[in-house]
CSV table of all heavy atoms in Angstrom, one decimal:
chain,number,residue,atom,x,y,z
A,424,LYS,N,17.1,-28.2,4.4
A,424,LYS,CA,15.7,-28.0,4.0
A,424,LYS,C,15.0,-26.9,4.8
A,424,LYS,O,14.0,-27.1,5.5
A,424,LYS,CB,14.9,-29.3,4.3
A,424,LYS,CG,15.4,-30.5,3.4
A,424,LYS,CD,14.2,-31.3,3.0
A,424,LYS,CE,14.7,-32.3,1.9
A,424,LYS,NZ,14.8,-33.7,2.3
A,425,GLY,N,15.7,-25.7,4.8
A,425,GLY,CA,15.1,-24.5,5.5
A,425,GLY,C,13.9,-24.0,4.8
A,425,GLY,O,13.9,-23.8,3.6
A,426,ASN,N,12.8,-23.8,5.5
A,426,ASN,CA,11.6,-23.3,4.9
A,426,ASN,C,11.0,-24.2,3.8
A,426,ASN,O,10.9,-23.8,2.7
A,426,ASN,CB,11.7,-21.9,4.4
A,426,ASN,CG,12.0,-20.9,5.5
A,426,ASN,OD1,11.2,-20.7,6.4
A,426,ASN,ND2,13.2,-20.3,5.5
A,427,PRO,N,10.8,-25.5,4.1
A,427,PRO,CA,10.4,-26.5,3.1
A,427,PRO,C,8.9,-26.4,2.7
A,427,PRO,O,8.5,-27.1,1.8
A,427,PRO,CB,10.7,-27.8,3.7
A,427,PRO,CG,10.4,-27.6,5.2
A,427,PRO,CD,10.8,-26.2,5.5
A,428,VAL,N,8.1,-25.6,3.3
A,428,VAL,CA,6.7,-25.7,3.0
A,428,VAL,C,6.3,-24.7,1.9
A,428,VAL,O,5.8,-25.1,0.8
A,428,VAL,CB,5.9,-25.3,4.3
A,428,VAL,CG1,4.4,-25.4,4.0
A,428,VAL,CG2,6.2,-26.2,5.4
A,429,GLN,N,6.7,-23.4,2.1
A,429,GLN,CA,6.3,-22.5,1.0
A,429,GLN,C,7.5,-21.6,0.7
A,429,GLN,O,7.5,-20.8,-0.2
A,429,GLN,CB,5.2,-21.5,1.5
A,429,GLN,CG,3.9,-22.2,1.5
A,429,GLN,CD,2.8,-21.2,1.9
A,429,GLN,OE1,3.0,-20.5,2.9
A,429,GLN,NE2,1.8,-21.1,1.2
A,430,GLY,N,8.6,-21.8,1.4
A,430,GLY,CA,9.7,-20.8,1.3
A,430,GLY,C,10.8,-21.4,0.3
A,430,GLY,O,10.5,-22.0,-0.7
A,431,LEU,N,12.1,-21.3,0.7
A,431,LEU,CA,13.2,-21.5,-0.1
A,431,LEU,C,13.3,-22.9,-0.6
A,431,LEU,O,13.3,-23.2,-1.8
A,431,LEU,CB,14.5,-21.0,0.5
A,431,LEU,CG,15.7,-20.9,-0.4
A,431,LEU,CD1,15.4,-19.8,-1.4
A,431,LEU,CD2,16.9,-20.5,0.4
A,432,ALA,N,13.4,-23.8,0.3
A,432,ALA,CA,13.6,-25.3,0.0
A,432,ALA,C,12.3,-25.8,-0.7
A,432,ALA,O,12.4,-26.8,-1.5
A,432,ALA,CB,13.8,-26.1,1.2
A,433,ALA,N,11.2,-25.2,-0.6
A,433,ALA,CA,10.0,-25.6,-1.3
A,433,ALA,C,10.1,-25.4,-2.8
A,433,ALA,O,9.4,-26.0,-3.6
A,433,ALA,CB,8.8,-24.9,-0.7
A,434,ARG,N,11.0,-24.5,-3.2
A,434,ARG,CA,11.1,-24.1,-4.6
A,434,ARG,C,12.2,-24.9,-5.3
A,434,ARG,O,12.5,-24.7,-6.4
A,434,ARG,CB,11.4,-22.6,-4.7
A,434,ARG,CG,10.2,-21.8,-4.2
A,434,ARG,CD,10.2,-20.4,-4.7
A,434,ARG,NE,11.1,-19.5,-3.9
A,434,ARG,CZ,10.6,-18.7,-2.9
A,434,ARG,NH1,9.3,-18.7,-2.7
A,434,ARG,NH2,11.4,-18.0,-2.2
B,245,ASP,N,8.6,-20.2,7.3
B,245,ASP,CA,7.7,-21.3,7.4
B,245,ASP,C,7.5,-21.8,8.8
B,245,ASP,O,8.5,-21.8,9.6
B,245,ASP,CB,8.2,-22.5,6.5
B,245,ASP,CG,7.9,-22.3,5.0
B,245,ASP,OD1,7.1,-21.3,4.7
B,245,ASP,OD2,8.3,-23.0,4.2
B,246,ALA,N,6.3,-22.2,9.2
B,246,ALA,CA,6.0,-22.6,10.5
B,246,ALA,C,6.6,-24.0,10.8
B,246,ALA,O,6.5,-24.8,10.0
B,246,ALA,CB,4.6,-22.6,10.8
B,247,SER,N,7.3,-24.0,12.0
B,247,SER,CA,7.8,-25.4,12.4
B,247,SER,C,7.1,-25.8,13.7
B,247,SER,O,7.6,-26.7,14.3
B,247,SER,CB,9.3,-25.3,12.6
B,247,SER,OG,9.9,-24.7,11.5
B,422,ARG,N,9.4,-30.4,12.8
B,422,ARG,CA,10.5,-30.8,11.9
B,422,ARG,C,11.8,-30.9,12.5
B,422,ARG,O,12.1,-30.1,13.5
B,422,ARG,CB,10.6,-29.8,10.7
B,422,ARG,CG,9.6,-30.0,9.7
B,422,ARG,CD,10.1,-29.2,8.4
B,422,ARG,NE,10.0,-27.8,8.7
B,422,ARG,CZ,8.9,-27.0,8.6
B,422,ARG,NH1,7.8,-27.6,8.2
B,422,ARG,NH2,8.9,-25.8,8.8
Side-chain angles (χ1 to χ4, degrees):
Chain A
K424 297 219 168 103
N426 294 296
V428 180
Q429 286 182 310
L431 194 62
R434 296 199 272 267
Chain B
D245 280 350
S247 310
R422 275 197 292 278

